Amino acid sequence: MNAELYAPERHQEILTRARERGRINVRRLAQALEVTPETIRRDLATLERHGVLRRVHGGAMPVERTWPSPAGTAPGDERDASSASRERIARAALAELPATGAVILGAGATTVRLAELLPQDRDLTVVTPSLRVALVVATRPGIHLHVLGGRVLGRSPATVGPWAARDVDDMLVDVAFLEVDGITPDLGLTSADPEEAQVKRCLLAAARRTVVLAEHGGFGREASAHVAALDAVDTVISDTELDSELAEAITAAGPRIELA
């Protein structure tokens, strides 16, 4: 662009690019619009205050491209796309199950789908804070269910707090399958709720291996409560829309990434 844009024009151009591409990068935007990265960061902050963008590591995403709420209130096309990617991720996660033993299924829509897909012919102990996961596996033959106690966090819904954390203290399981609200190369895993983050840390510590199930929209996103660094994770399973640069940065920090 040769002519310098006024701030409102620049904001519209940024929003248009974000909606077309699903994610925008500060450095590339600065080059394309011929302004400084600091100007772009101020623009993104303004657009975030207006509720049309969400800033993430190195850039921003349009709000309609972020993860749908647990209540499933995302628009139809987004909800359908998210359901399809969750299905692929959950099916890929089946390869990480032990032939027999104990697994942790954390709270989240993808872990619920994984619970629904658990093979009928395996003798598994399932440890979970998730009420939805518990309802899925409670009557399944071959499944020994342990539900963590504690206060129920309504948005999940899952148990959180010191009771839930203490329940995990003496456990040792083969694999923990967890979801988080955000993943960045620098901060690692983050959660929107401090008590939920505390329980996730305990679940990580109780597992020989940890597999994080994450749709591409959560990458680059920073939630308010830190869970763990990426070197605490063995494998991340995501969908094929994950940004390649982010995938490389995540892999460099420790875990193997599998795209489904």
Side-chain angles (χ1 to χ4, degrees):
M1 291 189 177
N2 297 321
E4 183 177 350
L5 298 176
Y6 291 109
E9 296 173 312
R10 198 168 57 244
H11 294 169
Q12 184 58 53
E13 178 68 21
I14 290 170
L15 185 57
T16 298
R17 289 173 183 245
R19 286 173 171 165
E20 287 176 350
R21 302 173 189 183
R23 180 185 173 88
I24 47 177
N25 176 274
V26 168
R27 177 178 54 81
R28 292 173 184 168
L29 268 178
Q31 292 173 349
L33 303 182
E34 299 180 1
V35 295
T36 65
E38 289 72 22
T39 297
I40 295 296
R41 292 190 184 96
R42 288 195 295 270
D43 290 338
L44 297 183
T46 298
L47 290 167
E48 186 175 51
R49 285 197 300 271
H50 291 163
V52 293
L53 286 185
R54 180 188 296 275
R55 283 184 293 174
V56 296
H57 180 78
M61 298 169 63
V63 292
E64 61 265 30
R65 287 295 188 96
T66 57
W67 285 2
S69 72
T73 57
D77 289 346
E78 287 296 322
R79 183 167 60 247
D80 291 344
S82 185
S83 297
S85 62
R86 284 200 301 268
E87 178 75 17
R88 297 195 305 271
I89 292 169
R91 288 190 178 278
L94 290 172
E96 304 290 334
L97 287 171
T100 184
V103 299
I104 287 169
L105 297 184
T110 310
T111 51
V112 170
R113 183 59 185 139
L114 176 57
E116 293 169 344
L117 294 170
L118 288 177
Q120 301 280 354
D121 59 349
R122 298 196 196 184
D123 185 27
L124 292 173
T125 296
V126 173
V127 178
T128 185
S130 168
L131 303 189
R132 288 179 177 147
V133 168
L135 287 171
V136 169
V137 303
T139 58
R140 292 277 298 275
I143 299 292
H144 311 280
L145 174 63
H146 184 106
V147 183
L148 304 183
R151 180 177 69 84
V152 175
L153 181 66
R155 76 181 185 94
S156 298
T159 54
V160 296
W163 285 2
R166 280 197 300 269
D167 268 0
V168 194
D169 279 348
D170 298 324
M171 289 185 181
L172 181 60
V173 305
D174 297 289
V175 191
F177 296 91
L178 302 179
E179 294 187 56
V180 291
D181 292 311
I183 305 177
T184 66
D186 297 331
L187 287 182
L189 311 179
T190 53
S191 175
D193 183 273
E195 287 189 306
E196 189 175 40
Q198 176 194 19
V199 173
K200 289 183 188 294
R201 282 194 296 272
C202 294
L203 296 175
L204 271 164
R208 291 188 176 95
R209 290 191 299 118
T210 299
V211 179
V212 172
L213 311 179
E215 294 177 80
H216 72 278
F219 288 81
R221 180 176 174 182
E222 298 175 357
S224 58
H226 186 251
V227 176
L230 286 173
D231 59 9
V233 177
D234 296 285
T235 303
V236 175
I237 303 177
S238 187
D239 56 75
T240 53
E241 293 186 57
L242 176 61
D243 179 81
S244 59
E245 291 183 6
L246 260 178
E248 289 175 7
I250 296 294
T251 301
R256 174 177 68 92
I257 285 188
E258 180 180 345
L259 300 181

